[in-house]
Amino acid sequence: MSDSQYFLDRSLGFLLGDSSRLLRKRFDRLARSFGMTRAQWRVIDVLRRNEGINQTAMADIMDIEPITLGRHIDRLEEAGSVERRPDPDDRRVWRIFLTDNVQPALVEMEKIAIEVRNDAMVDFSPNERERFIDNLIRVKSNLAGTIRRDAGEVANMLEKARAAGGRCDG
């Protein structure tokens, strides 16, 4: 095997991307009976972790446009799965909450997620499973730290440019 082929076969980005795609496909097959799209499942999952969040912050977490998220939320609201409530501090903002109607689906979603995880890690020992998840958490944390650092560097450059009268020497 050539060095370039070895790199391609063991590329972290490709392996994570392919694994993620396969996990989603497996989850979709098992979750089809609930009549929700993958995008709607994703909204519910993000909302479960961040209940009461506003639409703009939620779109940022999901890395999608707020208008796209708004359409998903509209459909989920029509189905009785989520509700919008006014923000007590800003009348222009709506906070999004799960309704009691979606709770049975959440229980089933967790069962499906566990089944997919077990399928993906069928030949892992319990210690290997924990170590693998711990390592993925570290990768996620490392990358999140570099993104925060990069954003801080850009903000500093912009601030220096403003202070220099609009020029950016960086």
Side-chain angles (χ1 to χ4, degrees):
M1 177 183 303
S2 70
D3 287 344
S4 62
Q5 186 61 45
Y6 179 84
F7 173 76
L8 290 174
D9 290 345
R10 299 187 62 79
S11 166
L12 178 63
F14 284 124
L15 287 169
L16 287 174
D18 289 347
S19 296
S20 178
R21 179 182 49 81
L22 292 167
L23 283 167
R24 288 191 310 269
K25 281 180 91 167
R26 178 72 174 129
F27 184 92
D28 285 350
R29 271 198 198 110
L30 295 173
R32 245 183 226 137
S33 63
F34 291 99
M36 283 190 214
T37 66
R38 179 188 313 147
Q40 290 170 328
W41 276 115
R42 189 167 172 234
V43 168
I44 288 172
D45 185 55
V46 169
L47 192 53
R48 181 178 61 152
R49 299 168 196 234
N50 302 280
E51 194 155 15
I53 194 170
N54 69 52
Q55 186 172 315
T56 303
M58 190 171 178
D60 189 47
I61 288 170
M62 296 179 69
D63 200 23
I64 63 174
E65 294 297 319
I67 192 78
T68 302
L69 175 60
R71 287 193 289 268
H72 295 311
I73 292 170
D74 289 344
R75 286 188 210 101
L76 289 167
E77 190 172 38
E78 288 170 16
S81 299
V82 302
E83 67 181 3
R84 290 178 170 106
R85 298 180 197 160
D87 184 303
D89 300 322
D90 186 343
R91 65 183 183 168
R92 298 167 298 172
V93 175
W94 291 89
R95 301 275 173 190
I96 306 160
F97 294 85
L98 296 172
T99 66
D100 290 339
N101 296 347
V102 80
Q103 295 307 319
L106 285 172
V107 170
E108 292 305 312
M109 189 169 75
E110 284 183 20
K111 288 178 186 175
I112 291 169
I114 290 168
E115 183 174 344
V116 171
R117 181 179 177 165
N118 288 339
D119 291 344
M121 303 177 101
V122 68
D123 58 351
F124 283 49
S125 72
N127 285 341
E128 288 173 322
R129 286 177 182 225
E130 289 305 311
R131 189 171 39 246
F132 181 74
I133 297 298
D134 288 343
N135 285 331
L136 284 177
I137 290 168
R138 286 175 52 202
V139 167
K140 179 181 171 184
S141 177
N142 291 343
L143 291 171
T146 61
I147 289 170
R148 282 191 302 273
R149 185 189 70 232
D150 293 348
E153 288 172 4
V154 168
N156 286 337
M157 284 176 49
L158 291 173
E159 185 59 36
K160 287 178 184 177
R162 275 192 219 86
R167 295 184 331 243
C168 186
D169 300 326

